[in-house]
Amino acid sequence: MDADALAAVTPGRPVGVAIVDDHPVVIDGVRAWLATEPRLTVLATGDDPDEVLRAAPEADVVLLDLRLHGRVVLDKLAELSAAGRRVVVYSEHSDPQTMLAALDAGAVAFLAKHEGREHCVATVLDAAADRPYVAPALAGAIVGDSRPDRPVLSDQEREALLLWFQSMSKASVARRMRISEHTVKQYVDRARIKYTRAGRPAATKAALLARAIEDGLVRPEEIGIYRSQASTDWPTP
């Protein structure tokens, strides 16, 4: 699902987070990290995604351990993403293949468990604001991916994607490029279609960003990938 189709977070209210992990010590640690940021509030925790979201259906972001009770839950990740959930995968399995598979399944971001509080807080804030955030482990996986099926994007498609990745709404991109919002959507959709035809679908903004970086169409520094902290700005509607 396109990140633009997700339910908007109301500016000024705390971002509601649901944490799904089968290790209580991890839940306690993440809860403590998120508690340091007043813009975040933990609504529910547990080891079963369905039970957690029944307790907190209004959660803006789901922080999901990719391995629950001994099983990799890419299928549940895909289900949650298809239902319109912003899912940030938080996992100790940080090999490139797993990280890219999570993005392909619909995760809006991937955070390795060793990456610490700063990246955890920033990732959740950016996920809620539909901004791409790529922590160092995922950046390494993306840049190191050498798959050869690279679609050719036009200059206009690349410019529209770059501006969109820089936290702009499609309406803001349209104003910047002096074109209609419909045309911006066409450029983004064309890029997605080209990647799908190449056998590398990119259903979410995070997945499309990963593809663009993999193929050298966008450089990490062009979107400020290594932000030391999340922006306090909310996205333009």
Side-chain angles (χ1 to χ4, degrees), residues 24-40:
V25 67
V26 173
I27 290 178
D28 289 346
V30 173
R31 183 195 288 273
W33 284 351
L34 299 184
T36 66
E37 172 51 66
R39 289 172 290 172
L40 299 175

mmCIF file of all heavy atoms in Angstrom, residues 24-40:
data_model
loop_
_atom_site.group_PDB
_atom_site.id
_atom_site.type_symbol
_atom_site.label_atom_id
_atom_site.label_comp_id
_atom_site.label_asym_id
_atom_site.label_seq_id
_atom_site.Cartn_x
_atom_site.Cartn_y
_atom_site.Cartn_z
ATOM 1 N N PRO A 24 9.852 -10.172 26.782
ATOM 2 C CA PRO A 24 9.450 -9.061 27.654
ATOM 3 C C PRO A 24 10.558 -8.049 27.919
ATOM 4 O O PRO A 24 10.294 -6.851 28.019
ATOM 5 C CB PRO A 24 9.021 -9.767 28.947
ATOM 6 C CG PRO A 24 8.581 -11.128 28.489
ATOM 7 C CD PRO A 24 9.502 -11.481 27.365
ATOM 8 N N VAL A 25 11.803 -8.517 28.019
ATOM 9 C CA VAL A 25 12.898 -7.590 28.290
ATOM 10 C C VAL A 25 13.083 -6.615 27.132
ATOM 11 O O VAL A 25 13.430 -5.446 27.340
ATOM 12 C CB VAL A 25 14.204 -8.363 28.592
ATOM 13 C CG1 VAL A 25 14.710 -9.099 27.358
ATOM 14 C CG2 VAL A 25 15.282 -7.417 29.117
ATOM 15 N N VAL A 26 12.850 -7.094 25.896
ATOM 16 C CA VAL A 26 12.948 -6.209 24.733
ATOM 17 C C VAL A 26 11.820 -5.185 24.757
ATOM 18 O O VAL A 26 12.038 -3.991 24.521
ATOM 19 C CB VAL A 26 12.916 -7.026 23.420
ATOM 20 C CG1 VAL A 26 12.838 -6.094 22.213
ATOM 21 C CG2 VAL A 26 14.146 -7.914 23.320
ATOM 22 N N ILE A 27 10.619 -5.635 25.059
ATOM 23 C CA ILE A 27 9.485 -4.716 25.138
ATOM 24 C C ILE A 27 9.752 -3.633 26.183
ATOM 25 O O ILE A 27 9.531 -2.440 25.941
ATOM 26 C CB ILE A 27 8.196 -5.484 25.473
ATOM 27 C CG1 ILE A 27 7.766 -6.339 24.275
ATOM 28 C CG2 ILE A 27 7.078 -4.521 25.865
ATOM 29 C CD1 ILE A 27 6.527 -7.177 24.522
ATOM 30 N N ASP A 28 10.253 -4.040 27.351
ATOM 31 C CA ASP A 28 10.532 -3.063 28.413
ATOM 32 C C ASP A 28 11.586 -2.052 27.972
ATOM 33 O O ASP A 28 11.474 -0.852 28.252
ATOM 34 C CB ASP A 28 11.009 -3.776 29.677
ATOM 35 C CG ASP A 28 9.888 -4.554 30.359
ATOM 36 O OD1 ASP A 28 8.713 -4.329 30.025
ATOM 37 O OD2 ASP A 28 10.210 -5.398 31.228
ATOM 38 N N GLY A 29 12.616 -2.546 27.274
ATOM 39 C CA GLY A 29 13.670 -1.652 26.814
ATOM 40 C C GLY A 29 13.179 -0.666 25.775
ATOM 41 O O GLY A 29 13.477 0.538 25.844
ATOM 42 N N VAL A 30 12.417 -1.153 24.800
ATOM 43 C CA VAL A 30 11.899 -0.268 23.759
ATOM 44 C C VAL A 30 10.912 0.737 24.346
ATOM 45 O O VAL A 30 10.913 1.914 23.990
ATOM 46 C CB VAL A 30 11.236 -1.090 22.633
ATOM 47 C CG1 VAL A 30 10.538 -0.171 21.635
ATOM 48 C CG2 VAL A 30 12.279 -1.937 21.918
ATOM 49 N N ARG A 31 10.067 0.276 25.252
ATOM 50 C CA ARG A 31 9.125 1.193 25.907
ATOM 51 C C ARG A 31 9.877 2.321 26.620
ATOM 52 O O ARG A 31 9.483 3.494 26.548
ATOM 53 C CB ARG A 31 8.252 0.430 26.902
ATOM 54 C CG ARG A 31 7.192 1.315 27.558
ATOM 55 C CD ARG A 31 6.599 0.617 28.780
ATOM 56 N NE ARG A 31 5.739 -0.486 28.420
ATOM 57 C CZ ARG A 31 4.439 -0.355 28.152
ATOM 58 N NH1 ARG A 31 3.878 0.838 28.193
ATOM 59 N NH2 ARG A 31 3.706 -1.411 27.862
ATOM 60 N N ALA A 32 10.972 1.978 27.281
ATOM 61 C CA ALA A 32 11.769 2.992 27.982
ATOM 62 C C ALA A 32 12.392 3.975 26.994
ATOM 63 O O ALA A 32 12.437 5.182 27.248
ATOM 64 C CB ALA A 32 12.853 2.316 28.813
ATOM 65 N N TRP A 33 12.885 3.451 25.860
ATOM 66 C CA TRP A 33 13.446 4.341 24.837
ATOM 67 C C TRP A 33 12.393 5.318 24.320
ATOM 68 O O TRP A 33 12.633 6.521 24.229
ATOM 69 C CB TRP A 33 13.981 3.526 23.666
ATOM 70 C CG TRP A 33 15.278 2.844 23.910
ATOM 71 C CD1 TRP A 33 16.115 2.998 24.967
ATOM 72 C CD2 TRP A 33 15.892 1.882 23.051
ATOM 73 N NE1 TRP A 33 17.210 2.194 24.820
ATOM 74 C CE2 TRP A 33 17.107 1.507 23.665
ATOM 75 C CE3 TRP A 33 15.545 1.293 21.841
ATOM 76 C CZ2 TRP A 33 17.982 0.575 23.088
ATOM 77 C CZ3 TRP A 33 16.392 0.368 21.265
ATOM 78 C CH2 TRP A 33 17.601 0.003 21.885
ATOM 79 N N LEU A 34 11.224 4.790 23.964
ATOM 80 C CA LEU A 34 10.182 5.639 23.388
ATOM 81 C C LEU A 34 9.655 6.646 24.404
ATOM 82 O O LEU A 34 9.209 7.736 24.031
ATOM 83 C CB LEU A 34 9.043 4.772 22.847
ATOM 84 C CG LEU A 34 9.418 3.775 21.730
ATOM 85 C CD1 LEU A 34 8.171 3.063 21.217
ATOM 86 C CD2 LEU A 34 10.177 4.439 20.593
ATOM 87 N N ALA A 35 9.721 6.296 25.697
ATOM 88 C CA ALA A 35 9.245 7.200 26.739
ATOM 89 C C ALA A 35 10.101 8.453 26.853
ATOM 90 O O ALA A 35 9.665 9.451 27.444
ATOM 91 C CB ALA A 35 9.203 6.477 28.082
ATOM 92 N N THR A 36 11.304 8.442 26.293
ATOM 93 C CA THR A 36 12.161 9.630 26.328
ATOM 94 C C THR A 36 11.723 10.685 25.319
ATOM 95 O O THR A 36 12.235 11.801 25.344
ATOM 96 C CB THR A 36 13.628 9.255 26.051
ATOM 97 O OG1 THR A 36 13.760 8.775 24.698
ATOM 98 C CG2 THR A 36 14.109 8.176 27.015
ATOM 99 N N GLU A 37 10.795 10.320 24.424
ATOM 100 C CA GLU A 37 10.337 11.233 23.376
ATOM 101 C C GLU A 37 8.861 11.582 23.634
ATOM 102 O O GLU A 37 7.990 10.727 23.505
ATOM 103 C CB GLU A 37 10.500 10.570 22.002
ATOM 104 C CG GLU A 37 9.879 11.333 20.842
ATOM 105 C CD GLU A 37 10.291 12.793 20.802
ATOM 106 O OE1 GLU A 37 11.491 13.065 20.572
ATOM 107 O OE2 GLU A 37 9.415 13.653 21.026
ATOM 108 N N PRO A 38 8.562 12.828 24.004
ATOM 109 C CA PRO A 38 7.180 13.196 24.347
ATOM 110 C C PRO A 38 6.203 13.101 23.183
ATOM 111 O O PRO A 38 4.984 13.074 23.414
ATOM 112 C CB PRO A 38 7.307 14.646 24.843
ATOM 113 C CG PRO A 38 8.604 15.138 24.278
ATOM 114 C CD PRO A 38 9.507 13.943 24.208
ATOM 115 N N ARG A 39 6.713 13.043 21.963
ATOM 116 C CA ARG A 39 5.809 12.917 20.804
ATOM 117 C C ARG A 39 5.340 11.486 20.579
ATOM 118 O O ARG A 39 4.536 11.234 19.675
ATOM 119 C CB ARG A 39 6.513 13.427 19.543
ATOM 120 C CG ARG A 39 6.695 14.946 19.506
ATOM 121 C CD ARG A 39 7.555 15.363 18.338
ATOM 122 N NE ARG A 39 8.946 14.975 18.517
ATOM 123 C CZ ARG A 39 9.883 15.097 17.569
ATOM 124 N NH1 ARG A 39 9.557 15.550 16.367
ATOM 125 N NH2 ARG A 39 11.123 14.744 17.823
ATOM 126 N N LEU A 40 5.813 10.544 21.401
ATOM 127 C CA LEU A 40 5.449 9.137 21.259
ATOM 128 C C LEU A 40 4.760 8.622 22.510
ATOM 129 O O LEU A 40 5.111 9.018 23.620
ATOM 130 C CB LEU A 40 6.701 8.291 20.994
ATOM 131 C CG LEU A 40 7.502 8.617 19.730
ATOM 132 C CD1 LEU A 40 8.775 7.770 19.687
ATOM 133 C CD2 LEU A 40 6.672 8.393 18.477
#
